[in-house]
Amino acid sequence: VFLILGLLMLIFNDFARSDPGFGCGNASAVANFTSGFAMVQHQVRGVFTVVDDCSFRVSEFDMLLSGGSDVRWWGSAGDDFQSLLAGFVISDSALNHTYRNDTFLVRLRDNATWDRIKVVAVWDIPSASDFGHVLLSNDSEVNSSKLEPPLSVLDNCMPLSDTFRLWWSFNNGDDSIDVALEAAIPMEHYMSFGWADPNAASGSLMVGSDVVITGFDSDQMPFAHDYFITQMTECTTNEDGSVQGVCPDMAYNTSSGSTGLVNDTSLIYGHRSDGVSFIRYRRPLQSNDEKYDLRIDPRSNMSVIWATGPIKPPDSLQPSYLPQNHGTNFGYLRLNVSQRRNDCLGPIDASDDKEDQDLVIADKKEPLVVSSGPALRYPNPPNPSKVLYINKKEAPLLRVERGVPVKFSIQAGHDVALYITSDPVGGNATLRNGSETIYFGGPEAEGVPASPTELVWAPDRNTPDLVYYQSLFTPKMGWKVQVVDGGLPDMYNNSVSLDDQQVMFFWTLSENSISIAARGEKKSGYLAIGFGRGMVNSYVYVGHVDESGRGKVSTYWIDGRDASGIHPTQENLTYVRCRSENGIITLEFTRPLSAACDAKGKPECGNIIDPSTPLRVIWAMGSLWSWSSSDGLTARNMHFMTSKRPMSVLLMRGSAEAEEDLRPVLAVHGFMMFLAWGILLPGGILSARYLKHVKDDSWFRIHVYLQYSGLTIVFLGFLFAVAELRGLVFDSFHVKLGLLAITLAASQPLNAYFRPKKPAIGEPPSSGRLAWEYAHVVTGRCGMAVGVAAVFSGMKHLGDRYRDGNVHGLSWALIVWFLLAGLFVVYMEYRDKNRKRGAAVLFGRSNWVLGDDDDDDGDEEEEDADLLSGRRRIDKVTESTNGRMEVQLEPLSR
């Protein structure tokens, strides 16, 4: 008996579960009530039918859900905002996946009865979000309801493309047709549908067609206007005032009182959700405007056309919306509106373009202005009548970075107290018997525009990834706050704003590498930063997002101003990231300070970053980066914005300054140093070496004048460079050589001032005199050698700084000049040796005894030549032991 009773109980329970209405009566006032869902979010649509007192049926149900929510059937006693928030779960059935044209029964909970329920909603509990709803009323209350009426369900549907659908319902009673267009398109695009001219050829159906253009205006309100197509062009006005192209009907007929006759399309409903636009309108089958509207025969196959594309908003010259070229997004077909069609299965997926609300990225430099205003496009219905605005954007998604202070300027009114909370609903969760964690703000965070309250919030590592900005006094006034980890100011030790304040540059130095990031401040298709003084001869890093949505950072060497001058390189980049958020490009990478090249001759081998020298950084932005190995840069627009001048980034100091073109300054400095070390100072040395045979002391005056002139020009060139460069950077090898050369050159006049006294005629020089002579000669030679080396190092430094191709040629010119000078010295030495050798032979064959001619040139350096030659002068003859000089004469006619 017990086994039989148990079996019967199992059968009974299975039957009860299979029939949600089992054991329920049918006495409710809403029995057999049928209505369509009002679509609010996630493309919820379907037909709702009350089966009996404890169950309802949902048919043709669609809902696009990505998961992560707790969606339930929700009931409320009223249709106002507070009643919806105070509602309750009416069924144990959950709705946590995507539905595609599904039909099923739902059983109410035991404590849920129809007399307590006025609204049935698809409700997300964590966010108190209404995805779609049904108002249980058969009377005029629908018209006064605060919720949207169920206008999103029509009898027929057919896909026109993968992302465009046509809905319609044929109204027999008033000879009209309701049409709804649904497409996954950007907010700024239009949807069009209409009937073609029955007499048009198959290849030109659009000309002469009667279409309706739908879309959303600048205030994101839907519109539907009647258009007539006379040409496949944008609507233009002729000199006589007539129009042609794709123009509104009212533009063709502007006579008094005729506007109402030519615009017979009436908007019924429109919304945008999850990146999908939905607009419903009504038009008569037979219009009063017989000239620009075609008659629709509901029982015959007629040609229809459709298109989507960008639309130009009205302006002062053209008061109407002007559809632009639709490209390949158009089509035509044959349609009989009286035939039943239901070919649309499931919602349209807009892929990655589901988010339509604005994004505000907090900046530590600028405060976030918090105000309040009417709810026009609140992202999380239901909503109160007044919601929060940040920087004049309605309930945007706010993004902050850990460790970066965020300043709020609160001026939303005394009845709005801003706070950051873990509760997505806000309005003080304790009043709803809930719990929350408050991270910032409170009752004191209120103010008005005349007297704003400024508060600073610094999210830290303990702040969750997702929190909410809300009002402490009213629920659901705000929206989400994304707290991102590793924001650019947190990840990088230094940051500067590049030229024109359009790009932020971040970096962190390590022992052998540098981590770099750059973020544009304007929307673009790519962001490029380069190391160099200009586009030519620069190493460039381009961040862009490819067609598959993957971010890339590509490296190039640029040696020309057109696309053919862009050459890809193979740099060793790590930790590469690139992303685009609402059109703002951010790129990141890490690279070694020294280029790791295994093959010489590659351009990237010269891409070396020296932290001790300024890094010149330039940038550019463009709409599209399309580079291929065969065609180069294929897009015409290489960039629409670029830096006007490089910024000199001091990597070790963490600062930057605008790079000035110092090439003229350095050119003057270099010319002065060449004049001194290449002409004047060598000329002074050569005069002392090779002009002593001159009878008077001219060689000495030439020597002194050239040396002091050269020293003067050296000091002037040095002071000129220091003044223009605003100081010295001693890390430069050129500066070290130059200072050493100047020191040696400056020691020569000091050396000459303290020279020992010249010995008397016939008297041997003192040891001090000999030491001075050697020091004077050696110091002069060393100073000359170091000075020439400094000139060459200066040329190399100029080339490294500006990558100027002329430097290479100038360096070779210097080499040739000093080689010629060296050859001249060799020739003079050879000539001097021969002269002295000839004199020695001459004196050796004769009996002449040259005495001291008592010719004192007054030159304290006369004996320098003897030091240079390695022996004393042979024409100096010592006196005899008796103090007299003997001269033997020979006859001339020998």
Side-chain angles (χ1 to χ4, degrees):
V1 173
F2 286 108
L3 289 175
I4 294 174
L5 291 176
L7 182 60
L8 291 175
M9 288 294 294
L10 289 175
I11 295 174
F12 176 81
N13 290 334
D14 290 340
F15 180 75
R17 283 195 295 266
S18 64
D19 186 4
F22 177 77
C24 294
N26 201 15
S28 173
V30 294
N32 300 320
F33 171 82
T34 300
S35 175
F37 283 91
M39 182 191 300
V40 180
Q41 296 182 78
H42 300 283
Q43 301 186 57
V44 168
R45 80 178 105 234
V47 178
F48 175 91
T49 303
V50 176
V51 177
D52 49 36
D53 292 346
C54 55
S55 62
F56 60 91
R57 177 183 292 106
V58 178
S59 56
E60 301 178 5
F61 185 68
D62 289 344
M63 181 174 68
L64 182 64
L65 196 63
S66 58
S69 301
D70 184 13
V71 184
R72 309 294 288 273
W73 293 108
W74 189 263
S76 68
D79 57 2
D80 58 281
F81 175 65
Q82 295 297 337
S83 297
L84 285 169
L85 292 184
F88 52 94
V89 177
I90 64 173
S91 175
D92 293 329
S93 301
L95 300 167
N96 293 332
H97 63 273
T98 295
Y99 291 83
R100 302 182 184 278
N101 205 39
D102 293 333
T103 299
F104 49 88
L105 288 170
V106 180
R107 183 181 178 87
L108 298 179
R109 283 183 171 180
D110 295 337
N111 61 344
T113 58
W114 292 120
D115 58 344
R116 297 178 54 200
I117 302 173
K118 185 177 181 179
V119 176
V120 175
V122 180
W123 189 268
D124 181 46
I125 295 178
S127 62
S129 182
D130 178 20
F131 291 175
H133 56 259
V134 172
L135 186 65
L136 301 180
S137 176
N138 286 317
D139 53 26
S140 60
E141 293 182 51
V142 172
N143 298 326
S144 63
S145 172
K146 298 179 178 60
L147 300 176
E148 295 289 352
L151 298 172
S152 60
V153 176
L154 292 96
D155 297 335
N156 306 280
C157 179
M158 66 177 301
L160 301 177
S161 71
D162 294 338
T163 58
F164 191 12
R165 289 177 178 176
L166 170 68
W167 298 77
W168 76 92
S169 289
F170 175 52
N171 305 317
N172 287 315
D174 55 1
D175 291 332
S176 66
I177 184 171
D178 283 8
V179 177
L181 304 179
E182 182 182 31
I185 56 174
M187 175 74 76
E188 302 80 11
H189 282 212
Y190 69 87
M191 301 179 292
S192 66
F193 175 79
W195 275 262
D197 184 359
N199 299 321
S202 59
S204 58
L205 291 177
M206 287 195 175
V207 177
S209 60
D210 173 22
V211 298
V212 174
I213 305 294
T214 67
F216 292 87
D217 59 20
S218 57
D219 295 326
Q220 297 165 0
M221 301 301 293
F223 66 84
H225 298 321
D226 211 0
Y227 280 65
F228 188 78
I229 301 177
T230 56
Q231 289 185 6
M232 296 293 295
T233 61
E234 180 182 316
C235 184
T236 56
T237 303
N238 302 319
E239 295 182 357
D240 59 358
S242 62
V243 296
Q244 60 184 6
V246 184
C247 303
D249 285 5
M250 63 181 64
Y252 292 103
N253 189 353
T254 58
S255 60
S256 178
S258 63
T259 301
L261 298 178
V262 297
N263 188 24
D264 57 1
T265 298
S266 57
L267 174 71
I268 298 178
Y269 173 69
H271 77 258
R272 184 169 172 85
S273 175
D274 303 310
V276 177
S277 297
F278 181 92
I279 295 179
R280 179 176 177 177
Y281 61 89
R282 178 174 298 165
R283 61 156 294 171
L285 299 178
Q286 177 63 55
S287 172
N288 294 327
D289 181 12
E290 298 181 355
K291 185 174 182 181
Y292 300 108
D293 286 341
L294 299 176
R295 179 181 178 275
I296 301 174
D297 186 355
R299 294 175 178 79
S300 64
N301 292 328
M302 300 186 66
S303 296
V304 295
I305 60 174
W306 62 270
T308 63
I311 191 168
K312 182 179 179 182
D315 53 30
S316 58
L317 300 178
Q318 178 57 256
S320 303
Y321 285 90
L322 301 182
Q324 307 295 296
N325 189 352
H326 50 65
T328 59
N329 300 317
F330 74 98
Y332 54 87
L333 68 152
R334 302 284 289 181
L335 178 65
N336 188 330
V337 297
S338 63
Q339 293 180 354
R340 175 69 175 171
R341 299 286 295 270
N342 187 11
D343 302 331
C344 302
L345 301 178
I348 297 177
D349 190 352
S351 188
D352 296 331
D353 300 324
K354 296 184 176 67
E355 300 293 338
D356 290 321
Q357 69 265 28
D358 293 315
L359 172 67
V360 173
I361 300 177
D363 189 346
K364 62 181 178 181
K365 298 179 181 180
E366 298 294 333
L368 299 175
V369 179
V370 181
S371 58
S372 60
L376 301 176
R377 196 172 57 92
Y378 187 75
N380 185 34
N383 51 265
S385 58
K386 184 173 69 172
V387 297
L388 291 176
Y389 283 65
I390 296 181
N391 291 353
K392 299 182 179 180
K393 295 181 179 180
E394 179 189 355
L397 177 65
L398 177 61
R399 181 170 299 158
V400 300
E401 298 173 346
R402 290 184 174 89
V404 179
V406 181
K407 180 184 290 186
F408 292 92
S409 178
I410 305 169
Q411 41 190 284
H414 296 303
D415 59 340
V416 177
L418 179 72
Y419 77 125
I420 307 296
T421 173
S422 60
D423 181 24
V425 179
N428 196 346
T430 57
L431 299 178
R432 307 190 312 272
N433 297 323
S435 62
E436 63 180 336
T437 302
I438 299 176
Y439 300 95
F440 166 76
E444 74 285 354
E446 51 88 11
V448 294
S451 180
T453 298
E454 292 192 351
L455 298 175
V456 177
W457 173 46
D460 55 29
R461 63 180 60 193
N462 296 322
T463 308
D465 294 339
L466 181 63
V467 291
Y468 301 85
Y469 64 92
Q470 295 288 357
S471 169
L472 189 64
F473 302 143
T474 304
K476 300 197 69 174
M477 289 190 67
W479 190 225
K480 298 177 181 178
V481 180
Q482 287 184 349
V483 184
V484 296
D485 191 14
L488 297 182
D490 295 333
M491 292 179 61
Y492 298 91
N493 296 337
N494 308 280
S495 65
V496 295
S497 181
L498 298 182
D499 184 45
D500 291 338
Q501 311 294 314
Q502 298 298 325
V503 176
M504 288 296 298
F505 184 75
F506 305 83
W507 75 94
T508 296
L509 279 173
S510 301
E511 182 178 358
N512 298 316
S513 64
I514 180 172
S515 298
I516 293 175
R519 182 178 68 197
E521 300 296 333
K522 287 190 175 182
K523 294 183 178 181
S524 63
Y526 73 85
L527 170 64
I529 60 170
F531 299 156
R533 286 198 50 82
M535 182 175 69
V536 180
N537 296 329
S538 63
Y539 299 96
V540 178
Y541 303 85
V542 181
H544 61 102
V545 179
D546 61 16
E547 297 178 353
S548 63
R550 185 177 59 179
K552 291 184 177 180
V553 177
S554 305
T555 60
Y556 300 91
W557 160 254
I558 300 180
D559 59 4
R561 293 190 174 277
D562 55 9
S564 62
I566 302 176
H567 311 286
T569 58
Q570 302 295 326
E571 292 196 29
N572 183 23
L573 302 185
T574 56
Y575 302 103
V576 177
R577 288 188 292 181
C578 180
R579 58 186 180 275
S580 175
E581 298 171 340
N582 286 352
I584 301 298
I585 299 291
T586 301
L587 62 90
E588 299 177 70
F589 61 88
T590 299
R591 54 150 291 175
L593 295 176
S594 299
C597 288
D598 54 0
K600 297 181 179 180
K602 290 185 176 181
E604 58 265 31
C605 296
N607 190 9
I608 299 174
I609 295 179
D610 183 1
S612 62
T613 60
L615 179 66
R616 294 171 298 278
V617 184
I618 57 176
W619 61 265
M621 297 184 194
S623 57
L624 176 65
W625 186 259
S626 178
W627 191 94
S628 65
S629 57
S630 58
D631 301 327
L633 190 64
T634 57
R636 286 186 178 181
N637 183 19
M638 295 177 64
H639 51 69
F640 60 72
M641 185 180 298
T642 183
S643 55
K644 298 180 179 64
R645 57 182 177 176
M647 291 293 291
S648 183
V649 179
L650 307 177
L651 298 175
M652 300 185 70
R653 298 181 185 177
S655 61
E657 58 185 14
E659 179 83 5
E660 298 180 6
D661 191 357
L662 297 175
R663 279 178 289 187
V665 175
L666 298 180
V668 173
H669 167 78
F671 175 76
M672 295 174 73
M673 291 304 180
F674 168 74
L675 181 63
W677 294 105
I679 298 178
L680 297 178
L681 293 176
I685 294 175
L686 294 177
S687 67
R689 178 77 178 105
Y690 301 115
L691 294 181
K692 286 189 176 181
H693 63 279
V694 180
K695 292 299 182 180
D696 55 13
D697 61 347
S698 298
W699 72 268
F700 178 71
R701 291 195 299 270
I702 293 174
H703 172 74
V704 172
Y705 293 157
L706 289 179
Q707 296 300 93
Y708 279 105
S709 298
L711 282 175
T712 302
I713 292 178
V714 165
F715 277 107
L716 289 176
F718 171 73
L719 295 176
F720 185 74
V722 170
E724 291 296 329
L725 294 174
R726 301 176 184 177
L728 286 175
V729 180
F730 292 96
D731 295 332
S732 172
F733 181 68
H734 170 66
V735 173
K736 293 177 181 178
L737 278 179
L739 289 177
L740 178 59
I742 292 173
T743 301
L744 293 174
S747 68
Q748 290 296 79
L750 187 65
N751 176 292
Y753 180 78
F754 291 104
R755 69 184 181 274
K757 185 179 179 180
K758 179 183 177 182
I761 299 175
E763 198 176 284
S766 64
S767 59
R769 178 74 181 190
L770 290 175
W772 174 84
E773 290 177 355
Y774 278 104
H776 187 71
V777 172
V778 171
T779 303
R781 286 183 174 183
C782 292
M784 190 65 218
V786 176
V788 172
V791 171
F792 280 101
S793 67
M795 295 299 298
K796 183 179 184 303
H797 185 69
L798 182 66
D800 293 341
R801 183 183 182 101
Y802 293 101
R803 304 186 188 278
D804 196 338
N806 295 328
V807 172
H808 186 69
L810 291 175
S811 298
W812 276 107
L814 278 178
I815 293 173
V816 172
W817 173 262
F818 284 109
L819 284 176
L820 291 175
L823 292 175
F824 175 77
V825 170
V826 171
Y827 169 74
M828 293 301 295
E829 284 293 319
Y830 174 76
R831 180 179 177 183
D832 189 61
K833 295 286 186 183
N834 288 338
R835 181 177 63 82
K836 293 176 180 178
R837 186 180 300 112
V841 172
L842 176 63
F843 291 142
R845 288 181 180 180
S846 67
N847 295 322
W848 288 57
V849 179
L850 293 176
D852 193 344
D853 59 1
D854 202 25
D855 183 15
D856 187 2
D857 292 336
D859 179 21
E860 67 277 13
E861 300 179 30
E862 184 178 1
E863 299 178 23
D864 293 349
D866 300 330
L867 291 173
L868 296 174
S869 64
R871 63 182 184 271
R872 309 299 293 174
R873 291 182 52 175
I874 63 173
D875 56 349
K876 290 277 187 179
V877 182
T878 59
E879 296 184 35
S880 63
T881 57
N882 58 6
R884 294 179 300 173
M885 297 291 294
E886 291 184 345
V887 178
Q888 294 182 359
L889 299 177
E890 295 184 20
L892 295 175
S893 60
R894 185 176 176 176

